């Protein structure tokens, strides 16, 4: 059977995107042998791979006495199980009633489907695949059946994988580990790029050279987490932003996750990713199934910028959905760093009036608006407005904001409860806790038990009522504590409950702009991006720190997904003093907004913001939807339809050279900044590099932490 992207000949499968190829075949015994994931191969190269024979070594275990050359430990495979000679890290572990963990999954059939196959459980999945290959394997003894799904996204050069295990036997089996994907590669000289940190210090890049042994990157906090983002990149040692091979991995999942890279003794490196297996046990009765989250794989041989570009396009086209897909995002003002919990009718009205006057489009009322919420000790779980702070009700506030020409949005933390709340007093059983143990707290709160239907219904009902009552057009969905010791399957069931809630709310309010947040960047992941087109990247709004975080997040996620705000100086998290322009130049390379009391600024500063907003509105399609590049000297660069925006950051006395990318060498470009005209330069000159001071017709940087955003606009002439 031949489809346009999935080819099968004698049980040799090739999945092709525009520039990549994924190759595996079913061996003579029925195991799927991984052959290649990388660039498109010539027929001769393919023949060479197909002719490889792996054989056995010394004391390794033979799979079957009929063949003294077939040893699973020395086969590159599409998944790994226990009991038949593969002694590497398994990607799938079961335990039967009689204590056996042996699983021998052998090919049964395959089907090619058009498009994506939806999940049966509430896990979100990417959409719009060209084709999906379904392969089925069965264990002859337990009857366990594994379905592997491979979806192909040709234009973005992405292949996704996920699997489903069904208990096809009569006896219950216990599932102990099930990865979304696994593969064994023969690639050498690999460096693993992972991203992690902690609260207010998200997205630090770690690079590990892969040598013998197992390297792990995982989260056990209940979140996808700021400790370890689920996305990572394996690159060849000599790969850089502009050249070389790299493989990206991510998960459409927001809970505990696990990725490992293990270099084994026989020249294969096993890579796998999925739900964290630690503490995980899911019992499957006869005919019951378990579905893994979807893993996203991407390959390039054109350098890391190209890999990022492919990932960005995948997120924008096949993860983000609904009204705000590809749509311009409004400039917002958020009340958190403006007033913290001290919000009231008067200060909001004053802030809103000034914000509207400056051109801001969306007003977000953050924490502190509901009853007893004067600090983080009380009130979570209840949805009643604080009548002391808002004597005329929140609807009046929301309407006044709309009268000023802005949209209205509100903060909620619906998954949590404070013991000092009406909800907890009425329903202590709604909170997650362990029998006979004192609860452990994070930010004075407990999780609501989203594995319980009545709790999910409580949340859905109250959130929907709130949105409806206020006609809210934006919700900031926060979650501020980590999970503690609940078992792996409970933590997973919690995430399934969360997705069910989000699916229903976004379905009922299709035009709602949802921004997810979890103490900053604890849920910056593809699972949440299926519901919320943007996510708050970090509670740290210091522009210097943010430049690193946004740059690193950009390896995997597009600018339109990264909530980024210009805040006060000195910065509230670091105390650093920076120019307003530097805060602006940083935040525009994110889903842009302000988060400070505008009324505390001088008239000159407000005038500066007015001009910033005019500038941003003119070019925001480029900032939000342009292609991104990391360049040698320039921190941020985006280009779309012949217009490039380029942020350069420096310090007093600096005169860095500015390099452009992807311009037409012979075309002329009008160069300007947000405050000045710089002249006309050719694409060639700009790409070869021009000192910042030359572009600005003078000295480049004069102030500490100074910055500039250049715009290169192609001049269209009548010449053909
Ligand atoms: C944590 C978030 O990351 C902040 O932006 C803010 O919304 C606070 N929670 C409110 O409690």
């Amino acid at each position: 059977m031949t489809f346009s992207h999935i080819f099968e000949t004698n049980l040799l499968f090739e999945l092709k995107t525009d520039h990549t190829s994924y190759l595996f075949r079913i061996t003579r015994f029925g195991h799927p042998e991984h052959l290649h994931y990388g660039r498109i191969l010539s027929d001769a190269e393919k023949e060479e791979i197909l002719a490889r024979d792996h054989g056995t070594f010394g004391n390794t275990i033979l799979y079957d006495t009929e063949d003294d050359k077939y040893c699973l430990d020395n086969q590159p495979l599409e998944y790994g199980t226990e009991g038949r000679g593969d002694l590497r890290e398994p990607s799938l572990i079961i335990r039967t009633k009689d204590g056996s963990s042996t699983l021998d999954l052998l090919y049964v059939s395959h089907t090619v489907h058009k498009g994506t196959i939806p999940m049966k459980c509430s896990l979100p999945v990417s959409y719009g695949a060209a084709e999906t290959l379904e392969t089925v394997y069965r264990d002859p003894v337990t009857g366990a059946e594994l379905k592997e799904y491979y979806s192909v996204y040709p234009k973005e050069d992405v292949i996704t994988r996920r699997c489903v295990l069904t208990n096809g036997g009569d006896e219950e089996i216990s599932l102990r580990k099930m990865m979304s994907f696994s593969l064994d590669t023969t690639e050498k000289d690999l460096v693993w790029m992972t991203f992690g940190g902690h609260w207010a210090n998200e997205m630090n890049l770690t690079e590990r050279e892969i040598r013998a042994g197992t390297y792990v990157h995982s989260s056990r906090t209940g979140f996808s987490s700021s400790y370890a983002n689920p996305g990572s990149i394996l690159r060849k040692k000599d790969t850089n932003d502009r050249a070389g091979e790299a493989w990206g991995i991510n998960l459409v999942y927001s809970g505990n996750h696990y990725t490992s890279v293990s270099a084994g003794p026989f020249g294969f490196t096993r890579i796998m990713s999925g739900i964290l297996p630690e503490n995980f046990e899911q019992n499957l009765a006869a005919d019951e199934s378990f579905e893994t989250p979807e893993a996203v794989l991407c390959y390039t041989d054109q350098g890391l910028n190209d890999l990022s570009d492919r990932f960005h396009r995948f997120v924008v086209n096949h993860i983000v959905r609904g009204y705000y897909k590809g749509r311009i995002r409004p400039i917002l003002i958020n009340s958190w760093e403006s007033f913290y919990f001290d919000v009231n009718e008067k200060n909001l009205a004053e802030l809103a009036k000034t914000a509207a006057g400056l051109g801001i489009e969306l007003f977000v009322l953050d924490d502190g608006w509901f009853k007893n919420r004067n600090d983080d000790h009380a009130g979570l779980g209840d949805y009643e407005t604080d009548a002391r702070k808002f004597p005329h009700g929140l609807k009046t506030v929301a309407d006044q904001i709309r009268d000023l020409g802005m949209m209205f949005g509100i903060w909620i933390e619906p998954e949590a409860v404070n013991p000092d709340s009406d909800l907890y007093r009425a329903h202590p059983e709604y909170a997650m806790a362990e029998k006979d143990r004192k609860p452990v707290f994070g930010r004075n709160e407990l999780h609501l038990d989203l594995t319980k239907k009545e709790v999910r219904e409580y949340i859905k009902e109250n959130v929907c009522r709130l949105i409806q009552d206020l006609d809210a057009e934006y919700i900031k969905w926060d979650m501020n504590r980590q999970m503690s010791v609940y078992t792996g399957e409970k933590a997973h069931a919690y995430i399934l409950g969360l997705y069910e809630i989000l699916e229903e709310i976004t379905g009922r309010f299709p035009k709602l702009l949802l921004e997810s947040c979890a103490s900053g960047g604890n849920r910056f992941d593809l699972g949440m991006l299926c519901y919320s087109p943007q996510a708050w990247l970090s509670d740290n709004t210091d522009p210097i720190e943010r430049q690193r975080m946004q740059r690193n997040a950009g390896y995997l996620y597009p600018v339109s997904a990264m909530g980024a705000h210009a805040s006060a100086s000195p910065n509230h998290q670091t105390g650093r003093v920076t120019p307003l322009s530097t805060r602006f130049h940083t935040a525009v390379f994110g889903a842009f907004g302000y988060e400070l009391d505008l009324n505390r600024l001088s008239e000159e500063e407000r005038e500066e913001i007015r001009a910033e907003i005019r500038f941003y509105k003119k070019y925001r399609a480029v900032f939000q939807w342009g292609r991104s590049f990391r360049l040698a000297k320039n921190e941020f660069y985006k280009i779309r339809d012949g217009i490039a925006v380029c942020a350069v950051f420096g310090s007093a006395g600096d005169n860095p050279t500015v390099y452009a990318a992807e311009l037409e060498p012979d075309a002329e470009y009008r160069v300007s900044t947000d405050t000045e005209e710089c002249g006309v330069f050719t694409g060639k000159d700009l790409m070869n590099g021009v000192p910042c001071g030359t572009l600005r017709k003078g000295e480049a940087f004069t102030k500490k932490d100074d910055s500039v955003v250049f715009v290169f606009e192609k001049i269209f002439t009548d010449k053909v």
Side-chain angles (χ1 to χ4, degrees), residues 199 336 341 366-367 373 411 413 443 476 478 480 517-520 536 539 595:
W199 176 77
W336 182 241
F341 292 99
D366 209 284
D367 202 351
R373 190 70 176 163
W411 174 96
E413 189 176 342
R443 212 192 186 205
K476 180 173 170 190
D478 204 349
N480 282 303
C517 171
S519 303
W536 187 225
D539 273 357
E595 190 163 333

Side-chain angles (χ1 to χ4, degrees), residues 77 120 124 204 232 250 284 295 312 348 447 532 705:
L77 295 167
K120 294 210 167 58
N204 292 286
S232 66
N250 212 336
L284 296 180
H312 296 173
L348 290 196
H447 279 104
S532 61
D705 302 324

